[in-house]
Amino acid sequence: MSKKRDYSVYLVTDRPLCAGRDLLRIIEEAVAGGATIVQLREKDATAREFFELARAAKDLLDRLGVPLIINDRVDVALAVDADGVHVGQKDLPYAEVRKMVGPHKIVGLSVDTVEQALSVPDLEVVPGDGGFGPDYLGVGPVFPTNTKKDTSEVWGLDKLAELRRQTHQKLVGIGGVYVGNAADVIRAGADGVAVVSAICAAESPKQATEELAAAVMLGRGLE
Ligand code: TZP
Ligand code: MG
């Protein structure tokens, strides 16, 4: 079954924020609540742990029909045949990642500034030039966050809106996003919101995701 690429409500995992709960259960609850895509981002895991977790997450998300994205590790993404990989500015260069995973996998790229975002190769390439741009750009942190310490400068909604005016790339806003500001991120021009703590640390990940999904709809004027 081919999976729909929908970045609306993008769960990014972080086991230390899960309060000892089973990560797969949280993923399952989030999908039941409306998460449209899931990224495994486990900075403290060994390669073997990450691989085992990724394999289990892939099994689960195949059953649920939701794409699995692997953070940083192209090798793990390939080993479990994940649906895609997400890299940042300090990871392998985008072009190398695309060469490794081929044209059909989802590749997301984090960008720190408008200028960086605009210098990224575009998905709609000139036929024959051999390049494939990222499927979406991760824009963040949109707001201050405690979840990631080594972030670039906070974007704010105005900078996100400025980028929206200058590109037709899919944009996913991340960093400090929760039910109270998700609609604003969408109104500023993001195609979706990515969250870690708003779902992973929530008492009910399912309910938190439902509320985020509703906020995204509200931001699109579709409530
Ligand atoms: N990249 C930019 S901010 C961030 C990442 C992975 C962390 C976002 O976490 P939270 O808890 O949703 O603010
Ligand atoms: Mg990275």
Side-chain angles (χ1 to χ4, degrees):
M1 179 184 62
S2 97
K3 296 177 180 176
K4 194 166 154 221
R5 295 183 178 194
D6 178 349
Y7 306 105
S8 301
V9 184
Y10 190 149
L11 167 64
V12 179
T13 72
D14 188 1
R15 277 183 305 177
L17 287 179
C18 295
R21 297 172 297 180
D22 177 39
L23 186 63
L24 294 177
R25 176 91 192 113
I26 288 182
I27 292 173
E28 198 168 12
E29 275 198 45
V31 171
T36 55
I37 183 162
V38 176
Q39 179 187 134
L40 216 53
R41 180 178 181 275
E42 294 297 334
K43 297 287 189 185
D44 298 336
T46 63
R48 180 67 65 90
E49 275 172 348
F50 199 30
F51 166 73
E52 298 292 358
L53 202 52
R55 191 161 59 170
K58 178 69 172 25
D59 277 356
L60 172 64
L61 289 166
D62 277 356
R63 274 189 272 123
L64 300 175
V66 166
L68 171 69
I69 307 296
I70 299 296
N71 182 262
D72 291 348
R73 300 284 306 244
V74 182
D75 53 349
V76 173
L78 289 172
V80 305
D81 190 27
D83 302 285
V85 62
H86 183 98
V87 288
Q89 296 294 323
K90 293 180 184 155
D91 300 314
L92 289 177
Y94 165 74
E96 299 304 319
V97 175
R98 177 59 79 193
K99 264 192 252 167
M100 286 189 269
V101 303
H104 303 300
K105 298 276 188 206
I106 299 170
V107 183
L109 175 68
S110 294
V111 290
D112 300 335
T113 62
V114 171
E115 295 68 34
Q116 217 173 58
L118 296 179
S119 71
V120 158
D122 203 295
L123 189 59
E124 291 176 17
V125 289
V126 183
D129 83 351
F132 295 92
D135 294 275
Y136 70 88
L137 300 179
V139 176
V142 179
F143 303 107
T145 178
N146 289 323
T147 304
K148 182 170 157 64
K149 305 289 179 217
D150 61 336
T151 65
S152 54
E153 228 176 281
V154 168
W155 278 70
L157 294 170
D158 291 347
K159 271 267 179 295
L160 171 59
E162 185 189 327
L163 175 58
R164 174 76 295 161
R165 287 191 290 274
Q166 298 187 60
T167 182
H168 56 254
Q169 294 266 22
K170 296 267 185 219
L171 303 178
V172 178
I174 185 166
V177 179
Y178 74 111
V179 64
N181 59 23
D184 293 334
V185 177
I186 298 295
R187 285 189 201 105
D191 297 283
V193 292
V195 304
V196 183
S197 52
I199 292 178
C200 288
E203 198 177 314
S204 166
K206 178 167 183 277
Q207 191 183 329
T209 314
E210 282 168 354
E211 289 171 5
L212 275 165
V216 167
M217 295 300 268
L218 184 70
R220 291 179 181 156
L222 297 172
E223 76 273 27

